[in-house]
Amino acid sequence: MLTRVRLWGLAERSRLNRFLTRAGRLKAKSERKLAKQICKIVLDHFEKQYSKELGDSWNTVRNILTSPSLWQYAVLLNRFNYPYDLEKDLHLKGYHTLFQGSLPYHPESMKCYLSRTTHRMPSERHQIGNLKKYYLLNAASILPVLALEVRDGEKVLDLCAAPGGKSIALLQCAWPGYLHCNEYDSLRMRWLRQTLESFIPQPLINVIKVSDLDGREMGDAQPETFDKVLVDAPCSNDRSWLFSSDSQKAAYRIQQRRNLPILQIELLRSAIKALRPGGLLVYSTCTLSKAENQDVISEILNSYSNVMPMDIRGIARACSQDFTFASTGQERGLLVIPDKGKAWGPMYVAKLKKSWSTGKW
């Protein structure tokens, strides 16, 4: 009997070893496959641009961006279907909350958990009638939401809302009197609707308006309507662009990249029109590009006498343990750059305030 038990134990260990070996091979194969998919055209373009803009930091950033096995994922808990058991499990696994209450504006209802490891929770399936318990995201995506400082009862516009992660995060922070989620692209619009249905209870869904208006027209459609506006603008998403499998499409994207700042500026002008005097606007992108970040904000500030930048460097000081920020260009915004053990970003955030004067572009 004892011999059989020993043999059974040996067999189990052998099966476990074979399983671990297969898992290791699959992981290595997956990493090799991803490495092959890196688009050389895009990487070469980034190399020329970002080595100038980021200096020595670019070497580390490039290593993170081109190695998906190093990417990290944060867990945003859904307060409308709060997963208490999952929260306990996250604590046991070494996760910690973002900011941990060190910011002046940090609603207790917004719980985002981070890990310094690359462990990733499985995504939850969309099921009609069942709210998801958590949302996986790049932790830096929370920064624009917290910078906006949404309060209960305010009228809020998410101008470029799909896929919906930031809208979900906004609703974890406060109960806006009215939330308008806009998305111009029809495919992304369906994604946005599904995200909202997956996380938000029906009574609250009823106070959310979802529209497919061209964001550049929102200011004329709803002038001086909103207390807060988030412009998470279309941009040259550095992470996804690097893994473009179609070289012709990648070359076209690089060619069109120079036009993105024009679109971003037009969206901001529309957002400023839609913002009431005294209201706050947050602009964000998920690119490292200076032309789409600092230069866009500089153009807006040079064009409007009634729009002023807000200092958000306190956010950087409060979360320096979790994020790495670019060392330059923080006078008018923050740029989160991926780093070893802090593989969050890219994420640029700038905050503007519309004054009561009548200055216009």
Side-chain angles (χ1 to χ4, degrees):
M1 180 69 175
L2 185 59
T3 301
R4 283 202 300 269
V5 169
R6 285 176 177 169
L7 288 173
W8 182 84
L10 289 171
E12 282 298 299
R13 282 197 295 273
S14 177
R15 279 195 289 271
L16 177 60
N17 288 333
R18 288 199 299 272
F19 171 79
L20 292 173
T21 300
R22 284 198 303 272
R25 287 173 180 168
L26 286 171
K27 182 179 179 181
K29 182 179 179 181
S30 176
E31 290 177 355
R32 287 196 301 271
K33 184 178 179 182
L34 284 168
K36 290 178 182 178
Q37 290 178 347
I38 293 173
C39 183
K40 190 176 185 302
I41 295 173
V42 175
L43 182 58
D44 289 346
H45 181 77
F46 285 179
E47 191 79 45
K48 293 177 183 177
Q49 179 180 352
Y50 294 149
S51 59
K52 293 179 181 178
E53 295 181 4
L54 297 177
D56 293 340
S57 298
W58 167 240
N59 291 328
T60 301
V61 172
R62 179 190 57 215
N63 291 340
I64 300 295
L65 291 180
T66 56
S67 304
S69 62
L70 300 178
W71 295 1
Q72 295 167 269
Y73 299 87
V75 183
L76 178 66
L77 303 187
N78 186 11
R79 68 165 167 163
F80 305 111
N81 187 20
Y82 203 81
Y84 292 99
D85 291 341
L86 173 60
E87 187 174 32
K88 292 178 182 177
D89 188 48
L90 292 176
H91 279 293
L92 292 173
K93 289 179 178 177
Y95 281 73
H96 64 277
T97 54
L98 178 63
F99 296 122
Q100 302 180 49
S102 58
L103 275 180
Y105 176 83
H106 187 240
E108 292 184 2
S109 56
M110 199 282 289
K111 293 286 185 68
C112 183
Y113 280 87
L114 285 67
S115 171
R116 293 197 181 279
T117 71
T118 57
H119 176 265
R120 179 178 178 174
M121 298 278 296
S123 298
E124 291 183 289
R125 293 175 55 194
H126 172 68
Q127 294 180 307
I128 297 175
N130 292 328
L131 297 183
K132 293 184 179 181
K133 295 180 179 180
Y134 59 89
Y135 186 89
L136 299 180
L137 76 170
N138 185 322
S141 300
I142 293 294
L143 298 185
V145 173
L146 293 176
L148 199 59
E149 298 188 38
V150 174
R151 311 289 181 180
D152 290 348
E154 289 182 327
K155 293 182 178 179
V156 182
L157 169 64
D158 189 351
L159 188 62
C160 311
K166 291 182 178 64
S167 295
I168 296 301
L170 285 168
L171 291 165
Q172 304 304 315
C173 296
W175 295 81
Y178 171 60
L179 175 61
H180 189 145
C181 299
N182 183 72
E183 178 53 51
Y184 185 48
D185 184 275
S186 58
L187 291 175
R188 289 172 61 83
M189 161 68 82
R190 288 200 287 272
W191 191 1
L192 170 63
R193 287 187 181 278
Q194 181 172 298
T195 301
L196 292 172
E197 290 171 1
S198 293
F199 287 89
I200 308 303
Q202 193 59 48
L204 191 54
I205 285 283
N206 294 334
V207 299
I208 300 173
K209 179 177 180 178
V210 179
S211 66
D212 58 358
L213 189 68
D214 185 329
R216 293 169 291 186
E217 300 173 0
M218 184 65 73
D220 291 327
Q222 298 199 48
E224 299 191 348
T225 300
F226 299 96
D227 302 296
K228 306 283 174 67
V229 178
L230 175 62
V231 183
D232 187 45
C235 66
S236 48
N237 186 319
D238 295 345
R239 289 198 186 214
S240 65
W241 279 29
L242 270 172
F243 293 89
S244 175
S245 58
D246 187 333
S247 59
Q248 287 187 333
K249 186 176 181 180
Y252 175 75
R253 278 179 167 174
I254 291 173
Q255 183 181 359
Q256 292 299 305
R257 197 180 197 201
R258 70 190 67 171
N259 296 324
L260 280 169
I262 299 172
L263 171 62
Q264 292 155 351
I265 289 168
E266 290 176 344
L267 288 169
L268 277 172
R269 287 175 179 162
S270 177
I272 290 167
K273 286 182 182 179
L275 188 65
R276 68 164 180 80
L280 297 175
L281 182 155
V282 168
Y283 173 75
S284 62
T285 73
C286 52
T287 179
L288 299 163
S289 174
K290 180 176 178 289
E292 298 177 53
N293 296 334
Q294 296 99 311
D295 291 353
V296 166
I297 293 300
S298 293
E299 173 64 25
I300 289 296
L301 293 174
N302 291 334
S303 302
Y304 289 85
S305 61
N306 65 332
V307 174
M308 62 191 74
M310 303 292 287
D311 189 348
I312 56 173
R313 285 176 290 183
I315 293 179
R317 289 190 293 270
C319 62
S320 59
Q321 291 184 342
D322 293 316
F323 300 113
T324 297
F325 294 89
S327 57
T328 59
Q330 293 194 43
E331 297 79 13
R332 292 178 172 177
L334 300 175
L335 177 62
V336 179
I337 57 175
D339 198 358
K340 189 174 182 180
K342 302 178 184 180
W344 313 111
M347 179 61 59
Y348 177 77
V349 186
K351 185 175 182 178
L352 307 175
K353 183 174 183 178
K354 184 177 181 179
S355 70
W356 290 90
S357 66
T358 57
K360 294 181 180 179
W361 170 77

